[in-house]
């Protein structure tokens, strides 16, 4: 079965380098790089002291040579995969080594060549306002839809079966969260149009023409909308399926980065995305030979301890500070060697098959009805708000909000209470009748 690994983190923490190293490891290209990294450890060279910690002999070679046909995808519009590998990359898949290919997603190219119907569906949905989009032409990108085209392409690549593993280098954290929550957000809006929207169109079109002098979308447009809705639901199912997709957080031991990583983990859990590991990059060695660097090492030690205490339920892998820029295949191979050594130190034998929690969103039967529990690690009661709006439960944490469409059995139910404790939000509902059972959404 194919696998999608998504890497995200605050800008400047080295997530592209970590994603590239994973891609090289996945493709089985790090054997020589690991040998060189292992040699640096054994010889104790000056650069080796900054590259990797001391390990038992042979640990850097565990799993070396296993090959999976791998595609490394950049979903960050500030692409730099070509810079790291020192090759020309772009909007077309390019194989750069046996079993390793690169793709820098170009949403405008995808819109024109692969998903022209998406723009047309939204333009039709907009009624007379959509006519303005048609006049602008096919080159117009609806604001915010860049992410949708990128996700659709990743989905199609996964479905193609051409690759054993797709590794996605995402934009900084805030943009990644916007990327991942887009399918659910758009499907929420689309659901308001269909099937109820289809009925309202039939009822309101004559009145709208007379009173507001505007055209509402016709039945054909609603059918296109239905296809878009199905695509969005499929995207959610893929991205939230821990058997198909995982998210990995990359950070460095600095205060602002630590705080952002904690919040990112909370928000990813709120939206029910499976996170299976945290990578702490650019860790200074114990013996730096410099008073200035020793001060920074001690500062890092405090943040390392904090990260370890926060992410107790996840594997936390440490990556030593690399002594040079990660540029070119050999540098990527060596960096991959340092990641494998970090995996060995964390007791991880298979970097690509880590355990993951599946209880981010759970419904339980109670005496009065049902209880919905949503994991929000690090969430505090004073910053969490929850309320019923129609058939949805709206949960807001700071500047992020998720509207959870409730199962059919809970439609019309009363929200009795909301509690936040130990990183979990618990919402209790009372049913109109106590004999009902949870239905599919």
């Amino acid at each position: 079965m194919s696998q999608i690994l998504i890497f995200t983190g605050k800008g400047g923490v080295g997530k592209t380098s970590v994603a590239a190293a994973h891609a090289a490891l996945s493709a089985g290209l790090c054997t020589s790089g690991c040998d060189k990294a292992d040699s640096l450890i054994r010889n104790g060279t000056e650069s080796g002291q900054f590259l990797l910690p001391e390990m038992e002999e042979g640990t850097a070679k565990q799993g070396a040579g296993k090959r999976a046909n791998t595609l490394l995808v950049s979903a960050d519009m500030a692409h730099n995969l070509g810079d790291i590998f020192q090759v020309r990359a772009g909007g077309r898949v390019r194989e750069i080594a046996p079993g390793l290919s690169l793709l820098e997603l170009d949403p405008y190219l995808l819109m024109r060549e692969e998903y022209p119907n998406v723009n047309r569906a939204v333009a039709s949905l907009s009624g007379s306002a959509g006519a303005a989009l048609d006049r602008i032409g096919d080159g117009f990108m609806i604001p915010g839809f860049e992410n949708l085209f990128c996700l659709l392409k990743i989905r199609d690549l996964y479905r193609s079966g051409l690759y054993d593993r797709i590794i996605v280098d995402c934009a900084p954290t805030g943009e990644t969260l916007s990327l991942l929550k887009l399918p659910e957000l758009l499907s929420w809006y689309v659901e308001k149009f269909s099937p109820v929207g289809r009925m309202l169109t039939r009822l309101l079109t004559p009145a709208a023409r007379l009173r507001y002098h505007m055209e509402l979308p016709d039945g054909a447009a609603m059918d296109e909308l239905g296809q878009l809705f199905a695509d969005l639901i499929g995207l959610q199912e893929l991205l939230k399926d821990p058997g198909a997709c995982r998210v990995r957080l990359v950070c460095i031991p600095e205060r602002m980065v630590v705080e952002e990583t904690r919040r990112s983990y909370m928000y990813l859990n709120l939206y029910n995305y499976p996170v299976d590991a945290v990578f702490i990059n650019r860790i200074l060695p114990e013996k730096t030979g410099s008073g200035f660097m020793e001060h920074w090492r001690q500062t890092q030690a405090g943040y390392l301890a904090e990260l370890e205490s926060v992410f107790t339920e996840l594997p936390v892998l440490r990556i030593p500070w690399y002594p040079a820029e990660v540029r070119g295949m050999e540098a990527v191979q060596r960096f991959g060697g340092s990641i494998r050594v970090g995996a060995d130190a964390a007791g991880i034998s298979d970097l690509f098959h880590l355990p993951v929690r599946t209880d981010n969103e759970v419904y339980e039967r109670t005496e009065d009805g049902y209880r919905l529990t949503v994991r929000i690690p690090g969430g505090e009661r004073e910053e969490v708000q929850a309320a019923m709006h129609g058939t949805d439960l709206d949960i807001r944490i700071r500047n992020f909000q998720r509207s959870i469409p409730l199962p059919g059995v809970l439609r019309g139910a009363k929200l009795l209470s909301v509690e936040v404790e130990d990183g979990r939000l618990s919402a209790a509902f009372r049913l109109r009748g106590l004999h009902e059972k949870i239905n599919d959404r």
Side-chain angles (χ1 to χ4, degrees), residues 330-388:
E330 184 174 333
V332 171
Q333 290 174 319
R334 291 188 182 184
F335 195 63
S338 69
I339 289 178
R340 183 177 291 126
V341 171
D344 292 335
I348 296 171
S349 59
D350 189 343
L351 189 61
F352 295 103
H353 296 89
L354 300 178
V356 66
R357 298 192 65 141
T358 57
D359 60 344
N360 289 350
E361 189 176 310
V362 177
Y363 289 91
E364 297 175 290
R365 193 73 167 87
T366 65
E367 184 177 347
D368 292 332
Y370 283 92
R371 176 181 293 107
L372 168 61
T373 301
V374 179
R375 294 185 67 250
I376 48 171
E380 301 292 341
R381 182 66 187 92
E382 57 272 15
E383 63 183 8
V384 179
Q385 301 174 4
M388 286 280 290

Side-chain angles (χ1 to χ4, degrees), residues 365 370 409 431 435-439:
R365 193 73 167 87
Y370 283 92
V409 69
L431 299 178
H435 63 282
E436 298 173 278
K437 297 181 179 180
I438 283 284
N439 298 319

Side-chain angles (χ1 to χ4, degrees), residues 15 21 155 216 221 268 296 303 405 430:
K15 59 184 175 298
R155 178 205 63 182
L216 291 179
L268 287 165
W296 275 107
Y303 295 135
R430 176 182 291 164

Side-chain angles (χ1 to χ4, degrees), residues 305-322:
E306 183 176 347
L307 286 165
E308 296 276 5
S309 66
V310 168
F311 296 104
T312 54
E313 59 189 29
L314 291 177
V316 178
L317 290 82
R318 300 188 177 199
I319 306 174
W321 199 307
Y322 196 70

Side-chain angles (χ1 to χ4, degrees), residues 201-214 216:
T201 297
R202 289 198 298 267
L203 293 175
L204 296 181
T205 295
R209 287 175 179 170
L210 293 173
R211 183 171 182 179
Y212 301 109
H213 306 288
M214 64 180 293
L216 291 179

Side-chain angles (χ1 to χ4, degrees), residues 73-77 105-112 114-123 125 140-157 159 168 170 175-190 224-225 227-239 273:
V73 177
S74 172
D76 184 351
M77 294 305 100
L105 292 173
D106 181 345
Y108 288 91
L109 183 67
L110 295 173
M111 176 187 69
R112 292 193 304 270
E114 300 196 35
Y115 310 110
N117 291 335
V118 173
N119 254 10
R120 284 199 291 267
V122 176
L125 177 64
F140 176 74
M141 175 75 70
I142 298 174
F145 271 53
E146 299 93 338
N147 289 339
L148 177 59
F149 293 119
C150 291
L151 288 175
L152 288 171
K153 181 61 177 179
I154 292 169
R155 178 205 63 182
D156 290 349
L157 288 166
R159 288 179 175 177
V168 183
C170 277
E175 294 180 49
T176 300
L177 291 169
S178 297
L179 174 84
L180 293 178
K181 73 179 184 180
L182 181 64
E184 181 171 300
L185 180 63
L186 284 178
S187 65
W188 183 89
Y189 281 106
V190 172
E224 289 181 334
L225 186 62
Q227 181 57 53
L228 177 59
F229 182 64
D231 287 339
L232 294 169
I233 294 298
L235 275 175
Q236 290 184 63
E237 292 175 348
L238 173 62
L239 296 173
Y273 287 102

